Amino acid sequence: MDLVPALEEPLNQPLKSVLGPATAKVMAEHLGLHTVGDLLHHYPRRYEERGQLTHLADLPMDEHVTVVAQVADARLHTFASSRAPRGKGQRLEVTITDGSGRLQLVFFGNGVHKPHKELLPGTRAMFAGKVSVFNRRLQLAHPAYELLRGDGEETVETWAGALIPLYPATAKLESWKIGKAVQTVLPSAQEAVDPLPDSLRAGRGLVSLPEALLKIHRPHTKADIADARARLKWDEAFVLQVALARRRYVDAQLPAIPRTPRPDGLLAAFDDRLPFTLTEGQQKVSKEIFDDLATEHPMHRLLQGEVGSGKTMVALRAMLAVVDAGGQAAMLAPTEVLAQQHHRSVTEMMGDLAQGGMLGGAEHATKVVLLTGSMGTAARRQALLDLATGEAGIVIGTHALIEDKVQFHDLGLVVVDEQHRFGVEQRDALRGKGKQPPHLLVMTATPIPRTVAMTVFGDLETSVLDQLPAGRSPIASHVVPAADKPHFLARAWERVREEVAKGHQAYVVCPRIGDEEEDPKKAGKKKAPEDEADKRPPLAVLDVAEQLRGGPLKGLTVEVLHGRMQPDDKDAVMRRFAAGDTDVLVATTVIEVGVNVPNATVMVIMDADRFGVSQLHQLRGRVGRGSAPGLCLLVSEMPEASAARQRLNAVASTLDGFELSRIDLEQRREGDVLGQAQSGARSSLRVLAVIEDEEIIAEARQEAMNLVESDPELTGLPGLRTALDALLDEEREQYLEKG
C-alpha cells in the first residue's frame, strides 16, 4: 500500500476549495499558486516588528511594496481638472513616516473619503502599493492599507505574534490578504511529507518540514525564522541538486562516438595559419574540450567567457576537430544577424580551408554552410543537400536547423551560442539529429558565478575563459544623469561627434522600437490623474534617430536597426555599418551579442536603467574591440538615490563581468536564476540566495551526488520523489534535463 499519495492529499487540494473561487483565481493568475502546498511554500519576503517601522528611505522604484508606518499628517486639496472644471476635484495627500524617512501617499476623486476619515495623524497601518516618482519625490498612489489597531482587536489575532510577515504581493492581492489565506491553510502543514533523508536532517540539526513551515509563516521569535529558513534552504538546494545529479547520471550512461582530430588534418592546417598564438586560457579550455570529445559519452560543457575573450575561436577549433574525425558540427545562433555574422567570421578565419569541393579549396578543406529561415529556395536546397551528403562539415544557422527537413550525414557536435536565448526543446531537437547523441558545447558571454553555474547548469561541466586577447582596448564607462544635469547629455552627443571626426563610429541603444501599434483598448481610456505620475514610456529607436538626425548629430549619417526589420534590410544595415559607411547606428538590443565592428568606439545607452546589469555589460562589449579605446555612456533620468542609479554606478565602476554578475544577482536576488527565460515558470528558489548560500549549494551538490550514485531511482525516499515532482514541474524538469 502506497501511503505517500494519501499523505500528500491535503497539500494537493486546490485553493479554490479552501479559499473560494475569487481569491483562488487571483492567486493562480498573479502569483502562480494553485494548491494548498503552493501557498504554504509562498514564504514571507521579510517581517516587520510591531514596535519597529520599515525603512522608507530605501524603497525600490516601480515595485509593489508593503510598509508599516505612522501617519504624520493628512491634507485634502481641491483642484480644477478636465473632469471637475469648477475646482471640485479632490486630492488627499497623506505623509507617513517611520523615523528613517517620509513617504507621500496620494488619493484622488471619490477614493479620498474613506482614507480621509481613517488616516488621521498618529494612526499606524500597513500600506501597499507601487512606488513611483512625482515631482522628484517618491510616492504611493492609491495604496491599499490595513489599520493596525491596539491589542485585543482582530488584526493582532490575524498577525499572531509580534512579527508581521510581509509576503511577495501584487496590486490585486495585498500582503495582509495573503497572510490571512496562509493562516487558513496552515494546519495542513502538519501533513507535509519530508523530502530530506533522515540521516541528512539529523546530521545537520535541521527541523522537520512541518515545523519549518509553521515557523516561517507564524514565527514568535527571530530564532524561529532562522531555523525555518535554514531548513527550507536545504530543501531547495538538495532537491534541485538531486534533479541535476540524476540528469548527469543518465547522461553518463549515454553512448557517443569519440572524435579525435588527425595529427595532419584540418585542425592542424588551421592552427598552422593562425596569425597569432592562442592565449593560455584558450589552450587550456581547448584541451578540456578535446579530452571530452575523445570519450565514449557525450560531452556536456558550458564555455563561459567575457565578451571578446575568444570563445568563437575555441568553438571553431572544436568543430574542426570533429570534422577531422569524420563527423559534422552545427553551430546554433539565436538570431539571423548573429548566424550570418558567425558564418562570415568563420569563413574568413578558415580562408580556403572553408572551400571544400571548390576550385582553389585547400587539401583538407570542408564546406561551411549557412542555414537560416529567410534564405532563398535554391540556396536552401543546396545547403540541405550538402548536409545530408556530408559535403558540408560545418553548418551555422538559426533554429531553422531544427526543422524536420534538415538531415545530417553524421552530426558529431552541437555548439549553442548564447544559451539563455535558446529554448530547451530546440536544443533537444537538434541533439536528436545525430546517429548517437552528439557532443554538446554551450557558449555564453554572460559571466555566471560558480554557484549559479552549479545551480542552473549543474548538469554541464564548466570551462571559463577569463583572459582577453592581446590588443583589446579598455572601455571607459560613465553614467549621464540626464534629468539632474542636462548639459551632461549635450556633452555626450559632442563626444559622439568627436569620435566620428576621428574616423570612428558610434552606437546609440534604446529599449523600444517605436513602431508599436497603440493598443486600441488602452487608446480609448483617458488616464486618471494618478496615472499621469507614472513614468513616460521608454525611449524608442525610431524617435531617437529622428531627433538626432535633426538635432545634436545633424550632418552625420544615422541609420536604425531593430528586430522587426526584414532580414535582408538588417543585413544591409549591418554591412554598411561594418564597412564604415554609417557614422551612427541607433539600435535596440539586437546588437547585444556577437556584433563585431572594431571601428565602433562609443556607445550611448538611452534609458539605461531599463536594462539589466548583465545586458548593459554585454552591450558595452560591442565597443573597444579594436585598437582605439572604447567609451560607454549610460544615460538615465532616475534620481541619484534610486536603486536603478546604484545599479548603473556599479556597471560604470567595473569591467569585470563576474563581479557584475554577482552584483546583478544580489540585486535581483533569486529572481530568474532557474532560467525563467526558458521555462516560463516562476523560479523555484524562494529562500535560497545563490550568492549568500554558496556553501549550502556546494554541500547539497555533494550529498546529492553520493545519494544518486548509491540509489539512482531514489527507491527508499518516496518523500524526495514527491518533492522532485512538485518542485520541478514538468517544464522545469525538461529545462534541467536538456541543460
Side-chain angles (χ1 to χ4, degrees):
M1 180 179 157
D2 190 354
L3 290 174
V4 174
L7 282 175
E8 266 299 285
E9 272 168 19
L11 269 65
N12 282 338
Q13 227 178 326
L15 286 172
K16 195 163 61 183
S17 60
V18 190
L19 302 175
T23 308
K25 185 168 185 259
V26 177
M27 287 199 166
E29 283 176 8
H30 294 274
L31 295 167
L33 307 175
H34 303 279
T35 64
V36 168
D38 290 347
L39 181 54
L40 286 174
H41 287 293
H42 186 71
Y43 309 131
R45 180 174 278 166
R46 53 194 179 83
Y47 302 83
E48 285 298 343
E49 290 184 65
R50 280 202 180 282
Q52 288 189 338
L53 296 167
T54 173
H55 274 286
L56 296 181
D58 29 271
L59 287 180
M61 277 296 299
D62 257 8
E63 271 192 34
H64 280 281
V65 297
T66 304
V67 297
V68 177
Q70 192 159 349
V71 177
D73 72 49
R75 297 173 189 203
L76 192 61
H77 302 273
T78 52
F79 60 92
S81 73
S82 54
R83 291 185 181 179
R86 299 208 189 97
K88 294 281 173 60
Q90 290 192 308
R91 183 174 77 246
L92 175 66
E93 288 178 3
V94 177
T95 306
I96 58 174
T97 178
D98 68 344
S100 80
R102 297 166 89 79
L103 179 67
Q104 187 159 35
L105 316 178
V106 51
F107 300 87
F108 290 93
N110 296 333
V112 304
H113 307 305
K114 186 167 175 275
H116 191 218
K117 284 209 301 271
E118 294 183 335
L119 297 178
L120 305 171
T123 309
R124 296 189 61 237
M126 282 192 281
F127 301 92
K130 190 173 179 183
V131 184
S132 57
V133 171
F134 184 65
N135 280 346
R136 304 264 183 100
R137 286 164 65 194
L138 293 180
Q139 71 164 25
L140 294 182
H142 274 270
Y145 61 88
E146 172 100 335
L147 301 178
L148 293 173
R149 302 189 176 90
D151 299 345
E153 301 235 358
E154 64 83 41
T155 324
V156 174
E157 266 313 292
T158 318
W159 305 104
L163 293 160
I164 302 171
L166 295 184
Y167 289 88
T170 75
K172 295 268 188 291
L173 203 62
E174 293 88 24
S175 168
W176 50 88
K177 289 185 182 160
I178 296 171
K180 287 176 182 170
V182 169
Q183 297 303 329
T184 308
V185 301
L186 204 51
S188 312
Q190 295 298 346
E191 312 293 339
V193 181
D194 207 318
L196 292 189
D198 292 343
S199 55
L200 190 155
R201 201 164 55 100
R204 295 182 183 275
L206 300 168
V207 300
S208 70
L209 182 55
E211 190 181 336
L213 291 171
L214 285 171
K215 284 183 167 177
I216 198 132
H217 290 296
R218 199 179 246 173
H220 292 292
T221 61
K222 288 182 175 169
D224 284 352
I225 301 171
D227 284 352
R229 288 178 66 85
R231 161 62 215 243
L232 296 167
K233 281 180 179 192
W234 255 96
D235 276 19
E236 287 180 9
F238 183 69
V239 174
L240 182 52
Q241 292 300 337
V242 167
L244 292 164
R246 289 179 81 186
R247 186 61 226 161
R248 282 195 302 276
Y249 179 82
V250 171
D251 282 343
Q253 317 302 313
L254 289 173
I257 300 167
R259 311 278 180 175
T260 328
R262 296 205 307 275
D264 57 345
L266 184 57
L267 178 62
F270 176 76
D271 283 350
D272 286 346
R273 299 163 178 223
L274 279 181
F276 51 81
T277 52
L278 297 175
T279 64
E280 243 176 82
Q282 284 174 317
Q283 290 174 3
K284 177 174 147 284
V285 169
S286 288
K287 182 179 183 314
E288 291 170 349
I289 292 172
F290 290 153
D291 289 350
D292 281 358
L293 289 174
T295 63
E296 294 185 352
H297 300 290
M299 162 170 84
H300 291 106
R301 192 166 279 282
L302 172 71
L303 173 56
Q304 293 189 58
E306 278 288 6
V307 175
S309 57
K311 292 184 300 298
T312 314
M313 173 60 74
V314 169
L316 175 56
R317 292 183 71 243
M319 295 198 288
L320 296 175
V322 169
V323 175
D324 256 354
Q328 290 169 294
M331 184 182 226
L332 231 55
T335 64
E336 295 215 352
V337 169
L338 203 52
Q340 286 161 340
Q341 180 133 355
H342 274 316
H343 182 253
R344 262 201 303 278
S345 60
V346 164
T347 45
E348 278 165 19
M349 284 198 266
M350 286 176 65
D352 59 2
L353 292 172
Q355 296 170 0
M358 292 182 241
L359 224 58
E363 182 193 349
H364 297 290
T366 185
K367 245 188 190 179
V368 179
V369 299
L370 176 69
L371 192 62
T372 63
S374 64
M375 283 168 75
T377 318
R380 187 177 170 76
R381 192 177 295 129
Q382 185 58 51
L384 289 172
L385 186 66
D386 288 342
L387 284 180
T389 59
E391 189 80 5
I394 294 178
V395 57
I396 295 170
T398 53
H399 42 246
L401 282 177
I402 293 163
E403 291 170 14
D404 293 343
K405 291 200 253 329
V406 182
Q407 297 296 326
F408 288 85
H409 177 64
D410 178 10
L411 179 61
L413 169 67
V414 177
V415 178
V416 180
D417 189 19
E418 284 307 319
Q419 152 298 314
H420 61 282
R421 296 167 170 259
F422 227 87
V424 174
E425 292 71 25
Q426 296 151 313
R427 288 200 304 255
D428 221 37
L430 193 56
R431 257 190 200 177
K433 291 191 176 288
K435 292 175 182 166
Q436 285 195 337
H439 298 281
L440 176 70
L441 180 65
V442 172
M443 299 198 295
T444 176
T446 310
I448 306 167
R450 190 178 72 97
T451 38
V452 182
M454 286 197 311
T455 308
V456 184
F457 304 110
D459 56 343
L460 299 178
E461 298 300 323
T462 307
S463 295
V464 180
L465 274 177
D466 44 15
Q467 281 173 296
L468 286 189
R472 268 303 169 83
S473 307
I475 306 170
S477 307
H478 303 285
V479 178
V480 177
D484 312 348
K485 300 179 176 163
H487 59 286
F488 276 38
L489 184 57
R491 175 73 188 115
W493 301 126
E494 280 172 29
R495 285 291 289 118
V496 170
R497 295 193 81 102
E498 287 166 16
E499 286 299 310
V500 172
K502 290 182 198 164
H504 297 307
Q505 292 158 280
Y507 295 102
V508 177
V509 181
C510 306
R512 209 161 54 92
I513 296 174
D515 62 354
E516 297 86 349
E517 291 289 309
E518 172 113 46
D519 184 340
K521 286 186 201 151
K522 289 181 188 164
K525 286 188 188 170
K526 287 216 43 122
K527 275 201 164 187
E530 64 269 21
D531 292 341
E532 297 295 348
D534 270 9
K535 296 199 301 195
R536 59 165 174 73
L539 290 171
V541 166
L542 300 175
D543 307 340
V544 169
E546 207 48 48
Q547 289 163 14
L548 292 177
R549 282 188 192 112
L553 301 185
K554 199 170 180 173
L556 304 185
T557 51
V558 176
E559 288 212 61
V560 299
L561 180 71
H562 58 75
R564 273 212 283 275
M565 289 165 62
Q566 289 301 316
D568 292 353
D569 297 343
K570 276 193 243 182
D571 204 40
V573 168
M574 268 322 296
R575 280 177 193 278
R576 285 196 292 275
F577 189 65
D581 301 339
T582 307
D583 298 323
V584 179
L585 187 62
V586 183
T588 55
T589 53
V590 291
I591 60 156
E592 179 186 346
V593 285
V595 173
N596 184 22
V597 179
N599 192 43
T601 53
V602 59
M603 175 178 285
V604 182
I605 303 179
M606 307 303 292
D607 278 345
D609 47 273
R610 311 276 180 134
F611 298 98
V613 169
S614 58
Q615 204 172 21
L616 290 169
H617 182 58
Q618 288 277 6
L619 285 165
R620 166 171 67 183
R622 301 298 119 214
V623 294
R625 298 176 79 84
S627 51
L631 173 66
C632 178
L633 301 172
L634 307 166
V635 180
S636 170
E637 291 186 354
M638 295 302 283
E640 194 161 351
S642 63
R645 272 285 285 283
Q646 288 164 11
R647 219 171 54 228
L648 294 181
N649 291 339
V651 174
S653 68
T654 176
L655 289 172
D656 179 343
F658 286 93
E659 177 56 31
L660 282 176
S661 66
R662 286 186 82 96
I663 293 169
D664 189 20
L665 261 162
E666 279 161 9
Q667 296 203 335
R668 283 186 306 135
R669 294 298 305 236
E670 56 287 336
D672 56 1
V673 166
L674 248 197
Q676 279 166 300
Q678 281 98 332
S679 72
R682 293 178 319 130
S683 158
S684 69
L685 301 187
R686 299 189 179 92
V687 284
L688 193 69
V690 186
I691 296 285
E692 289 164 31
D693 300 322
E694 211 157 337
E695 282 176 25
I696 295 180
I697 292 170
E699 288 175 25
R701 179 180 167 103
Q702 197 50 55
E703 291 271 9
M705 276 159 52
N706 299 345
L707 175 68
V708 171
E709 270 170 35
S710 60
D711 180 9
E713 293 305 311
L714 313 179
T715 39
L717 296 163
L720 178 54
R721 293 214 309 272
T722 309
L724 274 173
D725 296 341
L727 181 69
L728 305 175
D729 52 41
E730 285 310 299
E731 262 177 316
R732 202 177 293 107
E733 177 81 76
Q734 287 171 350
Y735 162 60
L736 288 169
E737 281 192 354
K738 293 162 191 174

